[in-house]
Amino acid sequence: MQEKQVRSIFLSDVHLGTRGCQADRLLDFLRHYESEHLYLLGDIVDFWAMNRSIYWSATQNTVVQKMLRRARKGTQVIFIPGNHDEALREYIGITFGDIRLESDWIHQTADGRRFLLLHGDEYDQVTRYHRWVAVIGDVAYNTLVRLNTCLSRIRRRLGISGYWSLAGYAKRKVKTAVSFIFDFEDSVVRGARERGVDGVICGHIHWAAIKEIGGMSYINCGDWVDSCTAIVEHMDGRLELVEWNARPAALLAPPKPASNEEDETALAR
């Protein structure tokens, strides 16, 4: 596949430092997309999991080096910490290795729309007020991800093609989890509306989406543990949800005028 130039790339929930991080797929994605802007919308590094045990592969290290290299070469890289890398929030406003740390950001697309960028955990009542529940949920989710790795090996040996996610299946079947997702989306959209923007791009819940909610654009990057998804902005301002599993991508075209268009998709966290 030939390298593709886009205007912006939006990533969240990479969870470097864990075995569940699919750094090889992220590296492959980054090899195929170059951009003027790179937005890291939280939980890029998983300090929660690293407090229990650290897994840092050579590929994960290469992902970090590739991001740093892009920043050095002129790509605007903005890192908005999430709850799993909240320790970095102490350094908001500081630039390190040409990567700027911010609590949130307003991005204007090529077609003039303004999007609020954030991780999203500030709109998660469990994470904010019941941290111990969030930690238990995190451990449970990581367990599902590990089981999914084993299931993937079995499927390959049996010659079953395609990608199937155990964690994703659990999310769809657990009613309370689905209800939480919708509550989260509505809360984030309300917050963005108060900021006077056209939409919001976030992460946190590991549920990639591009949709309209109450006249606002809600976009979630998904994750690089289970679904391997990212949002890209094309040079004309179109926003696309890319699933790096060879599955069809969802497109969000800009609203039409009234007159006439190198190197390497959750339970709530």
Side-chain angles (χ1 to χ4, degrees), residues 82-162:
N83 50 306
H84 283 255
D85 42 26
E86 62 188 350
L88 297 177
R89 288 173 171 164
E90 297 180 19
Y91 305 100
I92 292 300
I94 293 176
T95 298
F96 66 95
D98 298 307
I99 296 178
R100 182 171 175 177
L101 281 169
E102 295 290 345
S103 57
D104 57 40
W105 192 257
I106 301 294
H107 172 74
Q108 182 165 317
T109 59
D111 57 358
R113 290 174 294 166
R114 297 171 68 247
F115 283 85
L116 172 64
L117 310 185
L118 40 69
H119 178 62
D121 60 294
E122 54 266 67
Y123 293 97
D124 176 352
Q125 301 305 305
V126 174
T127 299
R128 289 188 66 186
Y129 304 114
H130 306 283
R131 185 184 176 98
W132 66 274
V133 177
V135 172
I136 292 174
D138 178 57
V139 173
Y141 179 76
N142 286 330
T143 300
L144 288 177
V145 169
R146 287 196 177 195
L147 287 173
N148 201 84
T149 301
C150 297
L151 287 174
S152 294
R153 292 197 191 102
I154 294 172
R155 285 169 62 87
R156 285 196 297 270
R157 289 177 181 175
L158 294 176
I160 302 174
S161 61

Coordinates of all heavy atoms in Angstrom, one line a residue, residues 82-162:
G82 N -4.9 11.1 29.3 CA -6.2 10.5 29.7 C -6.0 10.0 31.2 O -5.1 10.4 31.9
N83 N -7.0 9.2 31.6 CA -6.9 8.8 33.0 C -5.8 7.7 33.3 O -5.2 7.7 34.3 CB -8.3 8.2 33.5 CG -8.8 7.1 32.5 OD1 -9.0 7.4 31.3 ND2 -9.2 6.0 33.0
H84 N -5.5 7.0 32.2 CA -4.4 6.0 32.4 C -3.0 6.6 32.4 O -2.0 6.0 32.9 CB -4.5 4.8 31.4 CG -5.6 3.9 31.7 ND1 -5.3 2.6 32.3 CD2 -6.9 4.0 31.7 CE1 -6.5 2.0 32.5 NE2 -7.5 2.8 32.1
D85 N -2.9 7.7 31.8 CA -1.6 8.5 31.8 C -1.8 9.8 32.5 O -1.1 10.8 32.1 CB -1.0 8.6 30.4 CG -1.9 8.9 29.3 OD1 -3.0 9.6 29.6 OD2 -1.6 8.6 28.1
E86 N -2.7 9.9 33.5 CA -3.0 11.2 34.1 C -1.8 11.8 34.8 O -1.8 13.0 35.1 CB -4.2 11.0 35.1 CG -3.8 10.0 36.2 CD -5.0 9.7 37.1 OE1 -6.1 10.3 36.9 OE2 -4.9 8.8 37.9
A87 N -0.8 11.0 35.1 CA 0.4 11.6 35.8 C 1.0 12.7 34.9 O 1.6 13.6 35.4 CB 1.4 10.5 36.0
L88 N 0.8 12.6 33.6 CA 1.4 13.6 32.7 C 0.6 14.9 32.8 O 1.1 15.9 32.2 CB 1.4 13.1 31.3 CG 2.3 11.8 31.1 CD1 2.1 11.4 29.6 CD2 3.7 12.2 31.4
R89 N -0.6 14.9 33.4 CA -1.4 16.2 33.5 C -0.7 17.2 34.4 O -1.0 18.4 34.3 CB -2.8 15.9 34.0 CG -3.6 15.1 33.0 CD -5.0 14.7 33.6 NE -5.8 14.2 32.5 CZ -6.9 13.4 32.7 NH1 -7.3 13.1 33.9 NH2 -7.7 13.0 31.6
E90 N 0.3 16.8 35.2 CA 1.1 17.7 35.9 C 1.9 18.6 35.0 O 2.4 19.7 35.5 CB 2.0 17.0 36.9 CG 1.2 16.2 38.0 CD 2.1 15.5 38.9 OE1 3.3 15.9 39.0 OE2 1.7 14.5 39.6
Y91 N 2.1 18.2 33.8 CA 3.1 18.9 32.9 C 2.3 19.6 31.7 O 2.9 19.9 30.7 CB 4.1 17.9 32.3 CG 4.8 17.2 33.4 CD1 4.4 15.9 33.8 CD2 5.8 17.8 34.1 CE1 5.1 15.2 34.8 CE2 6.5 17.1 35.2 CZ 6.1 15.8 35.5 OH 6.8 15.2 36.5
I92 N 1.0 19.8 31.9 CA 0.2 20.5 30.9 C 0.8 21.9 30.6 O 1.2 22.6 31.4 CB -1.2 20.7 31.4 CG1 -2.0 19.3 31.5 CG2 -2.0 21.6 30.4 CD1 -2.1 18.6 30.2
G93 N 0.9 22.1 29.3 CA 1.6 23.4 28.8 C 3.0 23.3 28.5 O 3.6 24.2 27.9
I94 N 3.6 22.1 28.8 CA 5.0 21.9 28.6 C 5.2 21.1 27.2 O 4.4 20.3 26.9 CB 5.7 21.1 29.7 CG1 5.7 22.0 31.0 CG2 7.1 20.7 29.4 CD1 6.2 21.3 32.2
T95 N 6.3 21.4 26.5 CA 6.6 20.7 25.3 C 7.9 19.8 25.6 O 8.9 20.3 26.2 CB 7.0 21.7 24.2 OG1 5.8 22.4 23.9 CG2 7.4 20.9 22.9
F96 N 7.8 18.5 25.3 CA 8.9 17.7 25.4 C 9.1 16.9 24.1 O 8.2 16.3 23.6 CB 8.8 16.7 26.6 CG 7.7 15.7 26.5 CD1 8.0 14.4 26.0 CD2 6.4 16.0 26.8 CE1 7.0 13.5 25.8 CE2 5.3 15.0 26.7 CZ 5.7 13.8 26.2
G97 N 10.3 16.9 23.6 CA 10.6 16.3 22.4 C 9.7 16.8 21.2 O 9.4 16.0 20.4
D98 N 9.4 18.1 21.3 CA 8.6 18.7 20.3 C 7.1 18.3 20.3 O 6.4 18.5 19.4 CB 9.1 18.5 18.8 CG 10.5 19.1 18.7 OD1 10.7 20.3 19.0 OD2 11.4 18.4 18.2
I99 N 6.7 17.5 21.4 CA 5.4 17.1 21.6 C 4.8 18.0 22.7 O 5.3 18.1 23.8 CB 5.3 15.6 21.9 CG1 5.8 14.8 20.8 CG2 3.8 15.2 22.3 CD1 5.8 13.3 21.1
R100 N 3.6 18.6 22.4 CA 3.0 19.6 23.3 C 1.9 18.9 24.1 O 1.1 18.2 23.6 CB 2.5 20.7 22.5 CG 1.8 21.8 23.3 CD 1.5 23.0 22.5 NE 0.8 24.1 23.2 CZ 0.5 25.2 22.6 NH1 0.8 25.5 21.3 NH2 -0.2 26.1 23.3
L101 N 2.0 19.1 25.5 CA 1.0 18.5 26.4 C -0.1 19.5 26.6 O 0.2 20.7 27.0 CB 1.6 18.1 27.7 CG 2.4 16.8 27.7 CD1 3.1 16.6 29.0 CD2 1.4 15.6 27.6
E102 N -1.4 19.1 26.4 CA -2.5 20.0 26.6 C -3.6 19.3 27.3 O -3.7 18.0 27.1 CB -3.0 20.6 25.3 CG -2.0 21.5 24.6 CD -1.8 22.9 25.3 OE1 -2.6 23.2 26.2 OE2 -0.8 23.6 25.0
S103 N -4.5 20.0 28.0 CA -5.6 19.3 28.7 C -6.8 19.1 27.7 O -7.5 18.1 27.8 CB -6.1 20.2 29.9 OG -6.5 21.5 29.4
D104 N -6.9 19.9 26.7 CA -7.8 19.8 25.6 C -7.3 20.7 24.5 O -6.3 21.4 24.6 CB -9.3 20.1 26.0 CG -9.4 21.5 26.6 OD1 -8.8 22.4 26.1 OD2 -10.2 21.6 27.6
W105 N -8.0 20.7 23.3 CA -7.6 21.4 22.2 C -8.7 21.7 21.2 O -9.7 20.8 21.2 CB -6.5 20.7 21.5 CG -5.7 21.4 20.4 CD1 -5.8 21.4 19.1 CD2 -4.6 22.4 20.7 NE1 -4.9 22.2 18.5 CE2 -4.2 22.8 19.4 CE3 -4.0 22.8 21.8 CZ2 -3.2 23.8 19.3 CZ3 -3.0 23.8 21.7 CH2 -2.6 24.2 20.4
I106 N -8.7 22.8 20.5 CA -9.7 23.0 19.5 C -9.0 22.9 18.1 O -8.0 23.5 17.9 CB -10.3 24.5 19.6 CG1 -10.9 24.7 20.9 CG2 -11.3 24.7 18.4 CD1 -12.2 23.8 21.2
H107 N -9.5 21.9 17.3 CA -9.0 21.7 16.0 C -10.0 22.2 15.0 O -11.1 21.9 15.0 CB -8.7 20.2 15.8 CG -8.3 19.9 14.4 ND1 -7.1 20.2 13.8 CD2 -9.0 19.3 13.4 CE1 -7.0 19.8 12.6 NE2 -8.2 19.3 12.3
Q108 N -9.5 23.0 14.0 CA -10.3 23.4 12.9 C -9.9 22.6 11.7 O -8.8 22.6 11.2 CB -10.1 24.9 12.6 CG -11.0 25.5 11.5 CD -11.1 27.0 11.5 OE1 -11.2 27.6 12.6 NE2 -11.0 27.6 10.3
T109 N -11.0 22.0 11.1 CA -10.7 21.2 9.9 C -10.5 22.1 8.7 O -10.8 23.3 8.7 CB -11.9 20.2 9.7 OG1 -13.1 21.0 9.5 CG2 -12.1 19.3 10.8
A110 N -10.1 21.5 7.6 CA -9.9 22.2 6.4 C -11.1 22.9 5.8 O -11.0 23.9 5.1 CB -9.3 21.3 5.3
D111 N -12.3 22.4 6.1 CA -13.5 23.0 5.7 C -14.2 23.9 6.7 O -15.3 24.3 6.6 CB -14.5 21.9 5.2 CG -14.9 20.9 6.4 OD1 -14.3 21.0 7.5 OD2 -15.7 20.0 6.2
G112 N -13.4 24.3 7.7 CA -13.8 25.3 8.7 C -14.6 24.8 9.9 O -14.9 25.7 10.8
R113 N -14.8 23.5 10.1 CA -15.5 23.1 11.3 C -14.5 23.0 12.5 O -13.4 22.7 12.3 CB -16.1 21.7 11.1 CG -17.3 21.7 10.1 CD -17.7 20.3 9.8 NE -16.7 19.5 9.1 CZ -16.7 18.2 8.9 NH1 -17.7 17.5 9.5 NH2 -15.7 17.6 8.2
R114 N -15.1 23.3 13.7 CA -14.2 23.4 14.9 C -14.6 22.2 15.8 O -15.8 22.0 16.1 CB -14.4 24.7 15.6 CG -13.9 25.9 14.8 CD -14.3 27.2 15.4 NE -13.6 27.4 16.7 CZ -14.1 27.5 17.9 NH1 -15.5 27.3 18.0 NH2 -13.4 27.7 18.9
F115 N -13.6 21.4 16.2 CA -13.8 20.3 17.0 C -13.1 20.4 18.3 O -11.9 20.8 18.4 CB -13.4 19.0 16.3 CG -14.3 18.5 15.2 CD1 -14.3 19.0 14.0 CD2 -15.3 17.5 15.5 CE1 -15.1 18.6 13.0 CE2 -16.2 17.1 14.6 CZ -16.1 17.6 13.3
L116 N -13.8 20.1 19.4 CA -13.1 20.0 20.7 C -12.5 18.6 20.8 O -13.1 17.6 20.6 CB -14.2 20.1 21.8 CG -13.7 19.9 23.3 CD1 -12.6 20.9 23.7 CD2 -14.9 19.9 24.2
L117 N -11.2 18.6 21.1 CA -10.4 17.4 21.3 C -10.2 17.1 22.8 O -9.7 18.0 23.5 CB -9.1 17.4 20.6 CG -9.1 17.9 19.1 CD1 -7.7 17.8 18.5 CD2 -10.1 17.1 18.3
L118 N -10.5 16.0 23.3 CA -10.2 15.6 24.7 C -10.2 14.1 24.8 O -10.5 13.4 23.8 CB -11.2 16.2 25.6 CG -12.7 16.3 25.2 CD1 -13.3 14.9 25.2 CD2 -13.5 17.1 26.2
H119 N -9.8 13.6 26.0 CA -9.8 12.1 26.2 C -11.2 11.7 26.5 O -11.7 10.8 25.8 CB -8.8 11.7 27.3 CG -8.9 10.2 27.6 ND1 -8.5 9.3 26.6 CD2 -9.3 9.5 28.6 CE1 -8.6 8.1 27.1 NE2 -9.1 8.2 28.3
G120 N -11.9 12.3 27.5 CA -13.2 12.0 27.8 C -13.5 11.5 29.1 O -14.7 11.4 29.6
D121 N -12.5 11.1 29.9 CA -12.7 10.5 31.2 C -13.4 11.5 32.2 O -14.0 11.1 33.2 CB -11.4 10.0 31.8 CG -10.4 11.1 32.0 OD1 -9.9 11.7 31.0 OD2 -10.0 11.5 33.1
E122 N -13.3 12.8 31.9 CA -13.9 13.8 32.8 C -15.4 13.7 32.7 O -16.2 14.2 33.5 CB -13.5 15.2 32.4 CG -13.6 15.6 31.0 CD -12.4 15.4 30.2 OE1 -12.0 14.2 30.0 OE2 -11.7 16.4 29.7
Y123 N -16.0 13.0 31.7 CA -17.4 12.8 31.5 C -17.8 11.4 31.9 O -19.0 11.0 31.7 CB -17.8 13.1 30.1 CG -17.7 14.5 29.7 CD1 -16.5 14.9 29.0 CD2 -18.6 15.5 30.0 CE1 -16.3 16.3 28.7 CE2 -18.4 16.8 29.7 CZ -17.3 17.2 29.0 OH -17.1 18.5 28.7
D124 N -16.9 10.6 32.6 CA -17.2 9.3 33.0 C -17.3 9.3 34.5 O -16.4 9.5 35.3 CB -16.0 8.4 32.6 CG -16.1 7.0 33.1 OD1 -17.0 6.7 33.9 OD2 -15.3 6.2 32.7
Q125 N -18.6 9.2 35.0 CA -18.8 9.3 36.5 C -18.1 8.2 37.3 O -17.7 8.4 38.4 CB -20.3 9.2 36.7 CG -21.1 10.3 36.1 CD -20.6 11.7 36.4 OE1 -20.5 12.1 37.6 NE2 -20.2 12.5 35.4
V126 N -17.9 7.0 36.7 CA -17.3 5.9 37.4 C -15.8 6.2 37.6 O -15.3 6.1 38.7 CB -17.4 4.6 36.6 CG1 -16.6 3.5 37.2 CG2 -18.9 4.1 36.5
T127 N -15.1 6.7 36.5 CA -13.7 7.0 36.6 C -13.5 8.2 37.6 O -12.5 8.2 38.3 CB -13.2 7.4 35.2 OG1 -13.3 6.2 34.4 CG2 -11.7 7.7 35.3
R128 N -14.4 9.2 37.5 CA -14.2 10.4 38.4 C -14.4 10.1 39.8 O -13.7 10.6 40.7 CB -15.1 11.5 37.9 CG -14.7 12.1 36.5 CD -15.5 13.3 36.2 NE -15.3 14.4 37.1 CZ -16.0 15.5 37.1 NH1 -17.0 15.7 36.3 NH2 -15.7 16.5 38.0
Y129 N -15.5 9.3 40.2 CA -16.0 9.2 41.6 C -15.9 7.8 42.2 O -16.0 7.7 43.4 CB -17.4 9.7 41.7 CG -17.6 11.2 41.2 CD1 -18.4 11.4 40.0 CD2 -17.0 12.2 41.8 CE1 -18.5 12.7 39.6 CE2 -17.1 13.5 41.3 CZ -17.9 13.8 40.2 OH -18.0 15.1 39.7
H130 N -15.6 6.8 41.4 CA -15.5 5.5 41.9 C -14.3 4.8 41.2 O -14.4 3.8 40.5 CB -16.8 4.7 41.6 CG -18.1 5.4 42.1 ND1 -18.4 5.4 43.4 CD2 -19.0 6.1 41.4 CE1 -19.6 6.1 43.5 NE2 -19.9 6.5 42.3
R131 N -13.1 5.3 41.5 CA -11.9 4.8 40.9 C -11.7 3.3 41.1 O -11.3 2.7 40.1 CB -10.7 5.6 41.4 CG -9.4 5.3 40.6 CD -8.2 6.0 41.3 NE -7.0 5.6 40.7 CZ -6.4 6.3 39.7 NH1 -6.9 7.4 39.3 NH2 -5.2 5.8 39.2
W132 N -12.0 2.8 42.2 CA -11.8 1.4 42.5 C -12.6 0.5 41.5 O -12.2 -0.6 41.1 CB -12.1 1.0 43.9 CG -13.5 1.1 44.3 CD1 -14.2 2.2 44.8 CD2 -14.5 0.1 44.3 NE1 -15.5 2.0 45.0 CE2 -15.8 0.7 44.7 CE3 -14.5 -1.3 43.9 CZ2 -16.9 -0.1 44.8 CZ3 -15.7 -2.0 44.0 CH2 -16.9 -1.4 44.5
V133 N -13.8 1.0 41.2 CA -14.7 0.2 40.2 C -14.0 0.3 38.8 O -14.0 -0.7 38.1 CB -16.1 0.8 40.1 CG1 -16.9 0.1 39.1 CG2 -16.8 0.7 41.5
A134 N -13.5 1.4 38.5 CA -12.8 1.6 37.2 C -11.6 0.7 37.1 O -11.3 0.1 36.1 CB -12.4 3.0 37.0
V135 N -10.8 0.5 38.2 CA -9.6 -0.3 38.2 C -10.0 -1.8 38.0 O -9.4 -2.5 37.3 CB -8.8 -0.1 39.5 CG1 -7.7 -1.2 39.6 CG2 -8.3 1.3 39.6
I136 N -11.1 -2.2 38.7 CA -11.6 -3.6 38.6 C -12.0 -3.8 37.1 O -11.7 -4.9 36.5 CB -12.7 -3.9 39.6 CG1 -12.2 -3.9 41.0 CG2 -13.4 -5.2 39.2 CD1 -13.3 -4.0 42.1
G137 N -12.7 -2.9 36.6 CA -13.2 -3.0 35.2 C -12.0 -3.1 34.3 O -12.0 -3.8 33.3
D138 N -10.9 -2.3 34.6 CA -9.7 -2.3 33.8 C -9.1 -3.7 33.8 O -8.7 -4.2 32.7 CB -8.7 -1.3 34.3 CG -7.4 -1.3 33.5 OD1 -7.5 -1.1 32.3 OD2 -6.4 -1.4 34.2
V139 N -9.0 -4.3 34.9 CA -8.4 -5.7 35.1 C -9.2 -6.7 34.3 O -8.7 -7.5 33.6 CB -8.3 -6.1 36.5 CG1 -7.8 -7.5 36.7 CG2 -7.3 -5.2 37.3
A140 N -10.6 -6.6 34.4 CA -11.5 -7.5 33.7 C -11.3 -7.3 32.2 O -11.3 -8.3 31.5 CB -12.9 -7.2 34.1
Y141 N -11.2 -6.1 31.8 CA -11.1 -5.9 30.3 C -9.8 -6.5 29.8 O -9.7 -7.1 28.7 CB -11.1 -4.4 30.0 CG -11.0 -4.0 28.6 CD1 -12.0 -4.2 27.7 CD2 -9.8 -3.5 28.1 CE1 -11.9 -3.9 26.3 CE2 -9.6 -3.2 26.8 CZ -10.7 -3.4 25.9 OH -10.5 -3.0 24.6
N142 N -8.7 -6.2 30.5 CA -7.4 -6.8 30.1 C -7.4 -8.3 30.1 O -6.7 -8.9 29.2 CB -6.3 -6.3 31.0 CG -5.9 -4.8 30.8 OD1 -6.1 -4.3 29.7 ND2 -5.5 -4.1 31.8
T143 N -8.2 -8.9 31.0 CA -8.3 -10.4 31.0 C -9.0 -10.8 29.7 O -8.5 -11.8 29.1 CB -9.1 -10.8 32.2 OG1 -8.4 -10.5 33.4 CG2 -9.2 -12.4 32.2
L144 N -10.0 -10.1 29.3 CA -10.7 -10.5 28.1 C -9.8 -10.3 26.8 O -9.8 -11.1 25.9 CB -12.0 -9.6 27.9 CG -13.2 -9.9 28.8 CD1 -14.3 -8.9 28.6 CD2 -13.7 -11.3 28.6
V145 N -9.0 -9.3 26.9 CA -8.1 -9.1 25.8 C -7.1 -10.2 25.7 O -6.8 -10.7 24.6 CB -7.4 -7.7 25.9 CG1 -6.2 -7.6 24.9 CG2 -8.4 -6.5 25.7
R146 N -6.6 -10.7 26.8 CA -5.6 -11.8 26.8 C -6.3 -13.0 26.3 O -5.7 -13.8 25.5 CB -5.0 -12.0 28.2 CG -4.0 -10.9 28.6 CD -3.2 -11.4 29.8 NE -2.2 -10.4 30.1 CZ -1.2 -10.6 31.0 NH1 -1.1 -11.9 31.5 NH2 -0.4 -9.7 31.3
L147 N -7.5 -13.3 26.7 CA -8.2 -14.5 26.2 C -8.5 -14.4 24.7 O -8.4 -15.4 24.0 CB -9.6 -14.6 26.9 CG -9.5 -15.1 28.4 CD1 -10.9 -15.0 29.0 CD2 -9.0 -16.5 28.5
N148 N -8.7 -13.2 24.3 CA -8.9 -13.0 22.8 C -7.7 -13.3 22.0 O -7.8 -13.8 20.9 CB -9.4 -11.5 22.6 CG -10.1 -11.4 21.3 OD1 -11.3 -11.6 21.2 ND2 -9.4 -11.0 20.2
T149 N -6.5 -13.0 22.6 CA -5.3 -13.4 21.9 C -5.2 -14.9 21.7 O -4.8 -15.4 20.6 CB -4.1 -12.9 22.7 OG1 -4.2 -11.5 22.9 CG2 -2.8 -13.3 22.0
C150 N -5.5 -15.7 22.7 CA -5.5 -17.1 22.6 C -6.5 -17.6 21.6 O -6.2 -18.5 20.8 CB -5.8 -17.8 24.0 SG -4.6 -17.4 25.3
L151 N -7.7 -17.0 21.7 CA -8.8 -17.4 20.7 C -8.4 -17.1 19.3 O -8.7 -17.9 18.4 CB -10.1 -16.7 21.0 CG -10.8 -17.2 22.3 CD1 -12.0 -16.3 22.6 CD2 -11.3 -18.6 22.1
S152 N -7.6 -16.0 19.1 CA -7.2 -15.7 17.7 C -6.2 -16.7 17.2 O -6.3 -17.1 16.0 CB -6.5 -14.3 17.8 OG -7.5 -13.3 18.0
R153 N -5.3 -17.2 18.1 CA -4.4 -18.2 17.6 C -5.1 -19.5 17.2 O -4.8 -20.1 16.2 CB -3.4 -18.6 18.8 CG -2.4 -17.4 19.1 CD -1.3 -18.0 19.9 NE -0.5 -16.9 20.5 CZ -0.5 -16.5 21.8 NH1 -1.4 -17.1 22.6 NH2 0.2 -15.5 22.2
I154 N -6.1 -19.9 18.0 CA -6.9 -21.1 17.7 C -7.6 -20.9 16.4 O -7.7 -21.9 15.6 CB -7.9 -21.4 18.9 CG1 -7.1 -21.7 20.2 CG2 -8.9 -22.5 18.5 CD1 -8.0 -21.8 21.4
R155 N -8.2 -19.7 16.2 CA -8.9 -19.5 14.9 C -8.0 -19.6 13.7 O -8.4 -20.2 12.7 CB -9.6 -18.1 15.0 CG -10.8 -18.0 15.9 CD -11.3 -16.6 16.1 NE -11.6 -15.9 14.8 CZ -12.8 -16.0 14.3 NH1 -13.8 -16.6 14.9 NH2 -13.1 -15.3 13.1
R156 N -6.8 -19.1 13.9 CA -5.8 -19.2 12.8 C -5.5 -20.6 12.5 O -5.4 -21.0 11.3 CB -4.6 -18.3 13.1 CG -4.8 -16.8 13.0 CD -3.4 -16.1 12.9 NE -2.7 -16.3 14.2 CZ -2.8 -15.5 15.2 NH1 -3.6 -14.5 15.2 NH2 -2.0 -15.7 16.3
R157 N -5.2 -21.4 13.6 CA -4.9 -22.8 13.4 C -6.0 -23.6 12.7 O -5.8 -24.6 12.0 CB -4.5 -23.4 14.7 CG -3.1 -22.9 15.2 CD -2.8 -23.5 16.6 NE -1.5 -22.9 17.1 CZ -1.0 -23.2 18.3 NH1 -1.7 -23.9 19.1 NH2 0.1 -22.7 18.6
L158 N -7.2 -23.2 13.0 CA -8.4 -23.9 12.4 C -8.7 -23.4 11.0 O -9.7 -23.8 10.4 CB -9.6 -23.7 13.3 CG -9.5 -24.4 14.7 CD1 -10.8 -24.1 15.5 CD2 -9.4 -26.0 14.5
G159 N -8.0 -22.3 10.6 CA -8.2 -21.8 9.3 C -9.4 -20.9 9.2 O -9.9 -20.7 8.1
I160 N -9.8 -20.3 10.3 CA -10.9 -19.4 10.3 C -10.4 -18.0 10.0 O -9.6 -17.5 10.8 CB -11.7 -19.5 11.7 CG1 -12.2 -20.9 11.9 CG2 -12.9 -18.5 11.6 CD1 -12.8 -21.1 13.3
S161 N -10.9 -17.4 9.0 CA -10.4 -16.1 8.6 C -11.2 -15.0 9.3 O -12.3 -15.2 9.8 CB -10.4 -15.9 7.1 OG -11.8 -16.0 6.6
G162 N -10.7 -13.8 9.2 CA -11.4 -12.6 9.8 C -11.0 -12.4 11.3 O -10.5 -13.3 11.9

